[in-house]
């Protein structure tokens, strides 16, 4: 409903108690109603459909209660009568993919239907075909039926876009051992014959508790901020201050903004680049914040950046007392790259860090990641003497466009994100760093022909200082070849494979040259090939996590017997081994952040990139300053007659060369009277700005006055000439239609509700009908409670441009507004007032931005996006429409798409401004082109009509 009856009060159910006449020839089939193009797998989703239950997409019949259309995103309503074969107790069961409900009445009346069996409530439940006993809810309790009577039933089924769609109902006599059998044609009959009825005839459609239960969403907090009440929504009901009493409040001034492109040659469809957005105060909450889990285009960062790095760059991690700024910067930057998968590979199209130059890792940094020598495997064995490493034995650094490391002979510090850290004094003592690695299956790099794999994080830890060793526990790994044990003591080692042993032997002793303690080979094998994913300072590692002094060796983690011996020895020694079992988390980490206003980063150009951002926000200080100026002048003119109660709405269109145009909407309290509404255009002209060609057309009856200024040189408000809107102007909605019965009925119902709620009779509905066969459009117009309407009939195929032009030509008053409209629109209560305010003859046209709802979404729970590219909904004075040439009916004869942009080009070239605003609660219902505009679908073909 456009205007709810009351908060928390569902509308009364219109249940069907009177059954239509029934005939014997109805036997053998039941009625089937199809509701297409509706997402979700729960029956509750079907009830939220705008057209359920009266206006289905298709009406047909089916010969048994087992249906499988092999389609997606649809809902079924199957209803009729069941004729039992004999008296007795009967059990029913329903099976379906996805959810379904089976309702049965104790008699032939739909009003008495009761839910007896169902499959699921959330949309995630399903059964296989013929699986009648998967859920306890599938099987009904025994029902006493009589063969001499017929019983009304209703079967509801909802299918999403996955799975093998089917729904079937079985029954059986309530006797042990009997199986469920699908109810066939011998025991069913039609509720009524619909074959000769048009789609807009709905009086015969039964309405039962199954049709309405759960249809309304529970009253809860709105999920979208736009659904919250706003004074703008009903401000049009407040009486308006007479414009004649406001004419002399401000000095008149010429109004000719520089962004108007009159007589400027623009290419086809280039007009989109000359449409600018207006700023709004206060916040109208048109930003689709509830959709930003899927679309974060409002923020400046690219989606790839946000997916990989998040918003950590806006956070400054707090450092502990005694830590240096450099340490804080390193930790903050490294915190962005906890996962090595976040780095871009060479083949990825990265948008980040492309400017970094590839550099080589310094030998000092590389040696820190060389494989460490293996410990002797037999008593008395002596290690080989240390030898300098050959160039071929050094591992190579991984190359990537996303991250590379610098080699500097004189300054061996690496570059992090393209920036070198500040040098520091050698005497300063830094807390030593601790490697913390997370073993991740499947990411182990293979050994190369010359040695171990490349180091995954070369040079992250900046100081070549001795590191305290932290024993690491790896998760179970796939089986691999292992050396044999040489002893059963806790300090026994694993013999590494031959090639790995040779490689390690050739590099033995190198860590000693660098002043690094040499871990054991077993510890090296378990961790050297694993990516480093986080790090901790020494102060963050408890003593229990550090290895005991002199503890040089670790047994193989994969050997259960060895693990048991190790644990026994640890318990006997009383010292824990300190292995990592999970990532260390600093729950006490704090950060500093400043207030960030992303609105200030937006511009007033028509952003076609982001479709979830709302209207531009006008700074409060600027809005209040303009209102204060106006109220000062207003009370000076009327002797303090009006008091400001509230700033309801301020809209600003900026012109950096000449000034800004404002629409002020203020709630005033008249002295000795009631509340009034002030809604006027004012102009804040910059000092020294020239009027340009404002009056070059000679239409102005008076010369352009000088720009008023304050004594302090600041700009002052003035009244722009010929920029006043009319509150009582007639608005004509022009809508072409063809074979859209359910949408025509919904559109007329919405317009009738708009008239009843607002009491506004200054609008008319013009339907241009292209020989619709599914309903009598003219009769529907007569039956609707509309103030004015006009019916036009055209022959041939559906042509949107020709239909709109025919509707405009039928309007006789050139000083009225024509609104080129679509049929699938949900209008807010203030739509008429919004059209009138933003249409000024010879000056302004209005192209409101509509929110396009997604599949399964409704105005009560809107999910979708703003149609930032579409200009098909367009309001303009008829005189201006005729002056620009109207619709292009020659090029867009048999198709549509682009005719709105072509019209926009000519409107801008005629010197008109186009006001572009996102309108609250202004929706375009989801629908597809399937079955529309006379398109015929072949059997077996599921393509949509064009």
């Amino acid at each position: 409903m456009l205007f709810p009856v009351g908060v928390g009060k569902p509308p009364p159910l219109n249940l069907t108690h009177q059954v239509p006449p029934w005939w014997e020839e109805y036997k053998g089939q039941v009625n089937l109603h199809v509701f297409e193009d509706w997402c979700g797998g729960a029956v509750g989703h079907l009830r939220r459909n705008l057209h359920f239950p009266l206006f289905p997409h298709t009406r047909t019949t089916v010969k048994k209660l087992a249906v499988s259309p092999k389609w997606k995103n649809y809902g079924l309503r199957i209803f009729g009568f069941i004729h039992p074969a004999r008296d007795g107790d009967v059990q029913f069961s329903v099976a379906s993919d996805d959810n379904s409900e089976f309702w049965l009445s104790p008699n032939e009346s739909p009003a008495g239907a009761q839910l007896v069996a169902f499959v699921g409530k959330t949309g995630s439940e399903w059964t296989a075909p013929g699986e009648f006993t998967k859920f306890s809810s599938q099987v009904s309790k025994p029902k006493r039926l009589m063969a001499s009577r017929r019983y009304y039933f209703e079967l509801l089924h909802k299918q999403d876009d996955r799975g093998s769609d089917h729904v079937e109902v079985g029954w059986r006599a309530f006797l042990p051992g009997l199986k469920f059998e699908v109810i066939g044609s011998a025991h069913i009959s039609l509720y009524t014959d619909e074959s000769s009825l048009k789609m807009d005839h709905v009086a015969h459609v039964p309405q039962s508790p199954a049709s309405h239960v759960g249809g309304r969403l529970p009253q809860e907090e709105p999920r979208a901020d736009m659904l919250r009440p706003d004074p703008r929504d009903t401000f049009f009901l407040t009486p308006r201050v007479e414009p004649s009493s406001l004419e002399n409040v401000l000095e008149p001034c010429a109004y000719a903004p520089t962004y108007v492109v009159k007589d400027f040659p623009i290419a086809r469809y280039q007009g989109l680049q000359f449409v600018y957005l207006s700023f709004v105060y206060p916040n109208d909450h048109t930003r689709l914040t509830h959709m930003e889990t899927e679309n974060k285009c409002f923020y400046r960062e690219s989606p790839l950046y946000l997916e990989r790095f998040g918003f950590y760059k806006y956070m400054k991690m707090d450092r502990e007392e005694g830590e240096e700024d450099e340490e804080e910067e390193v930790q903050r930057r490294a915190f962005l790259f906890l996962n090595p998968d976040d780095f871009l590979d060479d083949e990825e199209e990265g948008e980040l860090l492309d400017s970094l130059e590839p550099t080589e890792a310094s030998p000092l940094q590389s040696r820190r990641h060389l494989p460490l020598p293996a410990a002797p495997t037999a008593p008395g064995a002596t290690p080989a003497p240390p030898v300098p490493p050959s160039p071929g034995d050094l591992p190579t650094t991984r190359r990537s466009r996303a991250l590379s490391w610098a080699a500097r002979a004189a300054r061996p510090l690496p570059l992090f994100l393209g920036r070198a850290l500040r040098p520091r004094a050698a005497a300063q003592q830094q807390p030593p760093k601790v490697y913390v690695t997370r073993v991740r299956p499947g990411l182990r790099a293979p050994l190369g022909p010359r040695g171990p794999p490349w180091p995954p994080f070369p040079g992250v830890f900046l100081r070549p200082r001795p590191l305290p060793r932290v024993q690491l526990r790896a998760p179970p790994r796939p089986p691999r070849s292992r050396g044999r044990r040489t002893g059963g003591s806790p300090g026994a080692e694993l013999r590494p494979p031959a090639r790995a042993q040779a490689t390690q032997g050739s590099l033995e002793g190198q860590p000693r040259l660098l002043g690094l303690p040499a871990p054991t080979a077993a510890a090296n094998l378990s961790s050297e090939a694993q990516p480093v994913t986080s790090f901790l300072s020494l102060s963050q590692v408890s003593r229990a996590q550090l290895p005991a002094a002199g503890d040089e060796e670790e047994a193989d983690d994969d050997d259960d017997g060895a693990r048991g011996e190790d644990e026994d020895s640890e318990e006997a020694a009383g010292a824990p081994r300190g292995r990592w079992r999970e990532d260390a988390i600093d729950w006490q980490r704090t950060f500093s952040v400043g207030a960030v206003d992303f609105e200030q980063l937006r511009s007033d150009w028509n952003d076609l990139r982001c479709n979830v951002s709302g209207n531009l926000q006008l700074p409060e200080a600027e809005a209040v300053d303009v209102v204060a100026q106006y109220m000062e002048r207003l009370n000076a003119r009327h002797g303090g007659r009006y008091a400001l109660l509230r700033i309801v709405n301020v809209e600003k269109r900026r012109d950096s060369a000449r000034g800004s145009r404002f629409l002020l909407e203020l709630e005033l309290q008249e002295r000795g009277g009631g509340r009034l509404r002030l809604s006027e255009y004012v102009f804040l002209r910059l000092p020294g700005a020239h009027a340009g060609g404002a009056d070059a057309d000679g239409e102005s009856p008076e010369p352009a006055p000088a720009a008023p200024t304050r004594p302090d040189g600041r700009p002052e408000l003035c009244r722009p000439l010929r920029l006043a809107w009319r509150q009582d102007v007639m608005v004509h909605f022009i809508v072409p239609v063809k074979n859209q019965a359910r949408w025509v009925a919904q559109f007329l119902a919405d317009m009738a509700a708009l008239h009843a709620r607002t009491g506004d009779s200054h609008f008319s509905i013009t339907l241009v009908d292209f020989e619709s066969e599914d309903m009598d459009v003219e009769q529907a117009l007569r039956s609707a409670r509309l103030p004015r309407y006009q019916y036009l009939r055209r022959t041939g195929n559906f042509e949107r441009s020709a239909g709109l032009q025919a509707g405009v030509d039928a309007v006789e008053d050139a000083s009225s507004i024509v609104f080129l409209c679509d049929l699938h629109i949900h209008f807010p209560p203030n739509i008429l007032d919004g059209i009138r305010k933003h249409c000024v003859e010879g000056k302004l046209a209005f192209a409101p931005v509509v929110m396009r709802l997604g599949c399964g979404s409704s105005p009560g729970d809107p999910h979708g996006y703003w149609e930032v590219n579409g200009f098909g909904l367009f309001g303009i004075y008829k005189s201006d429409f005729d002056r620009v040439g109207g619709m292009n009916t020659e090029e867009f004869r048999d198709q549509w798409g682009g005719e709105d942009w072509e019209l926009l080009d000519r409107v801008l070239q005629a010197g008109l401004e186009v006001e572009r605003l996102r309108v609250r609660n202004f929706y375009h219902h989801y629908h597809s082109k399937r079955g529309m505009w006379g398109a015929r679908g072949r059997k077996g073909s599921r393509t949509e009509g064009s």
Side-chain angles (χ1 to χ4, degrees):
M1 300 181 63
L2 183 62
F3 302 95
V5 176
V7 177
K9 295 181 180 180
L13 300 183
N14 184 21
L15 300 181
T16 302
H17 297 272
Q18 187 67 31
V19 182
W22 183 85
W23 308 98
E24 190 68 26
E25 54 266 24
Y26 287 177
K27 279 191 174 182
Q29 54 187 345
V30 292
N31 299 95
L32 170 63
H33 288 184
V34 182
F35 299 85
E36 291 193 45
D37 306 322
W38 197 249
C39 297
V43 175
H45 296 150
L46 174 61
R47 294 192 179 101
R48 297 172 195 170
N49 189 295
L50 183 67
H51 305 296
F52 184 85
L54 299 180
F55 294 96
H57 187 276
T58 303
R59 292 175 180 171
T60 183
T61 60
V62 65
K63 296 183 178 180
K64 62 190 303 187
L65 298 189
V67 182
S68 178
K70 294 186 178 180
W71 196 230
K72 59 184 179 180
N73 290 332
Y74 67 86
L76 300 181
R77 185 189 187 206
I78 305 174
F79 57 93
F81 296 109
I82 287 181
H83 301 262
R86 61 183 65 87
D87 297 346
D89 292 335
V90 178
Q91 270 187 315
F92 294 91
S93 181
V94 60
S96 63
D97 184 353
D98 295 303
N99 290 181
S100 61
E101 294 179 359
F102 181 72
W103 295 68
L104 184 68
S105 175
N107 48 49
E108 62 181 15
S109 173
Q114 301 174 357
L115 179 64
V116 298
F118 64 91
V119 175
K121 291 291 186 180
T122 66
S124 60
E125 302 88 353
W126 57 274
T127 73
E131 191 177 13
F132 288 110
T133 57
K134 180 177 182 179
F135 302 102
S136 60
S137 62
Q138 287 180 256
V139 182
S140 71
K141 295 180 179 179
K143 299 292 182 181
R144 172 73 64 173
L145 303 181
M146 301 179 63
S148 60
R149 304 177 61 181
R150 61 177 182 268
Y151 300 87
Y152 175 83
F153 80 93
E154 193 164 331
L155 174 62
L156 302 179
H157 171 232
K158 188 67 186 71
Q159 169 66 24
D160 60 11
D161 57 350
R162 296 171 298 175
S164 303
D165 60 321
H166 67 92
V167 61
E168 60 269 19
V169 177
W171 63 349
R172 68 182 180 185
F174 187 57
L175 295 174
L178 295 183
K179 295 183 178 181
F180 287 101
E181 297 181 357
V182 173
I183 303 177
S185 58
H187 305 287
I188 57 177
S189 67
L190 293 173
Y191 177 79
T192 188
D193 185 8
E194 302 176 296
S195 58
S196 61
L197 301 178
K198 291 186 177 294
M199 294 299 292
D200 61 329
H201 293 175
V202 296
H204 67 282
V205 178
Q207 298 190 56
S208 69
S211 312
H212 299 280
V213 171
R216 282 176 57 90
L217 295 175
Q219 296 295 326
E220 57 185 10
E221 280 294 308
R223 298 182 60 183
D225 285 344
M226 191 168 55
L227 298 180
R228 301 179 185 276
D230 190 278
R232 295 178 177 90
D233 299 338
T234 56
F235 193 48
F236 66 94
L237 297 175
T238 305
R240 184 184 178 191
V241 178
E242 287 297 330
S244 58
S245 63
L246 303 175
E247 289 181 357
N248 298 323
V249 171
L250 300 176
E251 295 292 332
C253 59
Y255 175 69
T258 57
Y259 48 76
V260 171
V261 292
K262 183 176 182 180
D263 300 328
F264 181 81
I266 59 178
R268 172 65 68 91
Y269 301 153
Q270 195 180 1
L272 290 171
Q273 304 176 17
F274 295 95
V275 175
Y276 299 92
L277 303 179
S278 294
F279 295 81
V280 174
Y281 174 84
N283 191 347
D284 58 354
H285 300 289
T286 51
R287 175 180 168 188
L288 306 181
T289 54
H290 63 295
M291 298 299 300
E292 290 182 355
T293 56
E294 305 171 2
N295 188 341
K296 297 182 179 64
C297 63
F298 175 80
Y299 300 96
R300 309 294 291 182
E301 290 76 18
S302 67
L304 177 61
Y305 182 92
L306 291 178
E307 179 182 355
R308 292 177 179 268
F309 308 123
F311 290 95
Y312 287 114
K313 77 174 187 179
Y314 297 100
M315 304 161 61
K316 183 178 181 181
M317 298 299 169
D318 296 335
R319 66 179 186 275
E320 297 180 3
E321 185 177 359
E323 287 186 302
E324 296 184 359
D325 293 340
E326 181 184 69
E327 183 74 10
E328 175 189 358
E329 182 177 1
V330 173
Q331 292 193 10
R332 179 171 61 87
R333 290 181 178 275
F335 187 73
L336 299 177
F337 301 94
L338 295 182
N339 193 333
D341 290 341
D342 289 339
F343 293 104
L344 300 177
D345 294 331
D346 292 337
E347 61 272 18
E348 295 188 42
E349 290 296 328
E351 300 177 20
L352 312 170
L353 310 176
D354 287 337
S355 61
L356 298 181
E357 298 179 359
T359 54
E360 297 290 344
S362 65
L364 180 61
Q365 297 160 8
S366 299
R367 288 177 182 178
R368 295 185 63 184
H369 299 277
L370 295 178
L372 302 178
T377 57
T382 59
V387 295
S390 62
D393 295 329
L394 294 177
T396 58
T397 304
R398 188 185 186 187
R399 297 298 191 98
S400 175
R401 293 182 303 164
L403 190 63
S404 56
W405 309 99
R408 296 290 185 268
R411 190 174 66 183
L413 295 179
L415 291 177
F416 200 90
L417 290 181
R419 294 177 57 189
L421 299 176
R422 297 189 299 273
R424 41 178 196 167
Q428 294 178 350
Q429 296 295 330
Q430 300 294 338
K433 307 301 294 184
V434 178
Y435 282 97
V436 179
T437 60
R438 181 190 298 117
V439 180
R440 303 185 64 179
L443 295 179
R444 182 181 301 279
L447 292 176
R450 296 195 173 188
W454 48 267
F457 251 29
V460 168
F461 302 100
L462 306 175
R463 294 173 294 280
R465 293 181 177 273
L467 301 178
R469 295 180 303 281
V470 179
Q471 301 297 338
L472 307 175
R473 175 183 295 276
R477 297 189 298 270
R480 61 175 184 174
S481 59
R482 298 183 299 215
R484 60 181 178 85
R485 278 189 186 276
T486 57
S489 64
E493 294 290 340
L494 287 179
R495 185 182 301 277
R499 187 170 66 175
Q501 183 181 11
T503 304
Q504 295 170 1
S506 63
L507 300 177
E508 186 176 353
Q510 292 177 18
R512 301 292 183 182
L513 297 177
L514 302 177
L516 301 178
T520 62
N524 200 29
L525 285 175
S526 63
S527 62
E528 65 177 2
Q530 307 305 326
V532 176
T533 58
S534 62
F535 70 92
L536 298 172
S537 64
L538 184 60
S539 61
Q540 295 171 313
V541 183
S542 63
R543 183 173 300 275
Q545 293 171 330
L546 294 175
D551 203 357
E552 298 281 324
E553 300 154 355
E554 179 184 355
D556 192 339
D557 290 335
D558 296 333
D559 195 307
D560 295 336
R563 184 184 300 112
E565 294 176 2
D566 290 345
E567 293 173 354
D568 294 341
S569 63
E570 290 174 7
E571 295 175 358
R577 299 285 293 179
R579 296 179 179 177
W580 288 99
R581 289 178 172 82
E582 61 181 14
D583 292 338
I585 302 174
D586 185 4
W587 298 110
Q588 296 178 323
R589 178 183 286 117
T590 59
F591 67 94
S592 301
V593 66
V596 182
D597 187 2
F598 292 96
E599 287 287 348
Q600 295 181 356
L601 304 178
R602 301 176 63 192
S603 65
D604 59 352
W605 63 284
N606 189 25
D607 187 3
L608 303 179
R609 177 187 61 89
C610 189
N611 54 17
V612 299
S613 58
N615 289 321
L616 298 173
Q617 298 302 305
L618 179 65
E620 183 178 29
E622 185 176 358
V624 171
D625 182 65
V626 173
V627 171
Q629 287 189 51
Y630 188 88
M631 290 303 301
E632 180 182 355
R633 298 292 298 273
L634 177 65
N635 286 321
R637 177 68 180 174
H638 293 281
R641 179 181 174 183
Y642 300 101
L644 177 65
L645 295 180
R646 179 168 52 180
I647 301 175
V648 177
N649 184 47
V650 177
E651 298 173 7
K652 172 192 172 183
R653 172 65 70 86
R654 181 174 59 188
D655 184 356
S656 58
R658 295 179 180 171
S660 300
R661 179 245 298 168
F662 290 86
L663 173 63
L664 302 182
E665 295 195 274
L666 311 176
E667 186 177 9
L668 306 178
Q669 178 70 45
E670 186 179 14
R671 186 172 54 196
R675 296 186 307 162
L676 296 176
R677 167 196 181 197
L678 185 146
S679 181
E680 295 294 324
Y681 282 103
V682 298
F683 186 59
L684 189 66
R685 187 168 179 178
L686 297 177
H690 298 284
D695 301 298
D697 52 5
E699 297 179 3
S700 176
E702 52 185 332
T709 58
R710 293 181 179 179
D712 56 2
R714 296 176 60 189
E716 189 171 0
L717 291 177
C718 61
R719 176 174 59 86
L721 294 175
R722 301 194 308 276
L723 196 64
W725 65 278
R726 296 165 48 192
Q727 186 178 8
D728 57 350
V729 64
M730 181 67 67
V731 179
H732 299 269
F733 290 86
I734 313 298
V735 186
V737 300
K738 181 180 178 66
N739 291 336
Q740 296 278 297
R742 61 192 185 281
W743 289 109
V744 170
Q746 184 65 41
F747 177 81
L748 295 180
D750 286 349
M751 290 291 101
L754 184 66
H755 171 56
R757 178 65 175 84
T758 63
D760 193 337
S761 299
H762 294 83
F763 74 93
S764 174
I765 305 298
T766 300
L767 295 185
V768 184
D769 181 22
F770 286 82
E771 298 180 310
S772 294
E773 300 175 353
D774 59 349
M775 72 177 301
D776 189 340
V777 177
E778 187 175 10
Q779 179 60 39
L781 274 171
R782 293 196 194 101
S783 303
R785 298 178 179 179
L786 300 173
R788 292 179 178 84
Y789 68 87
Q790 193 169 9
Y791 174 76
L792 301 176
R793 184 174 179 85
R794 290 181 62 90
T795 60
N797 295 329
F798 180 83
E799 301 176 16
R800 186 175 188 271
S801 295
L804 292 175
Q805 184 63 52
V808 175
D809 291 340
V811 176
E812 298 179 356
D813 185 6
S815 296
S816 60
I817 299 175
V818 293
F819 188 76
L820 312 182
C821 192
D822 192 9
L823 191 61
H824 315 91
I825 302 298
H826 172 88
F827 296 96
N830 59 349
I831 184 63
L832 293 170
D833 187 72
I835 294 173
R836 294 187 181 111
K837 285 187 305 187
H838 298 102
C839 289
V840 177
E841 191 170 8
K843 290 290 185 179
L844 290 180
F846 185 39
V849 185
V850 66
M851 181 181 177
R852 185 175 289 272
L853 297 177
C855 181
S857 181
S858 63
D861 187 22
H863 288 75
Y865 58 90
W866 292 110
E867 187 62 85
V868 295
N869 293 318
F871 286 79
L873 304 174
F874 202 81
I876 187 174
Y877 270 81
K878 183 180 186 299
S879 58
D880 294 331
F881 184 84
D882 294 337
R883 181 161 59 92
V884 303
M887 299 299 298
N888 187 344
T889 59
E890 295 298 327
E891 294 187 50
F892 302 93
R893 179 179 297 274
D894 297 326
Q895 59 185 3
W896 57 95
E899 76 281 354
D900 52 345
W901 292 350
E902 195 273 339
L903 175 63
L904 176 65
D905 293 343
R906 290 184 281 115
V907 168
L908 294 174
Q909 286 180 309
L912 295 176
E913 294 183 65
V914 175
E915 189 69 22
R916 187 72 164 160
L917 284 171
R918 291 158 173 82
V919 178
R920 290 170 46 86
N921 304 314
F922 188 39
Y923 305 111
H924 184 286
H925 292 291
Y926 176 84
H927 70 92
S928 72
K929 301 180 180 66
R930 175 175 168 76
M932 295 170 56
W933 304 301
R936 296 282 190 261
R938 300 189 307 272
K939 184 176 181 180
S941 176
R942 299 296 184 179
T943 59
E944 295 183 356
S946 60

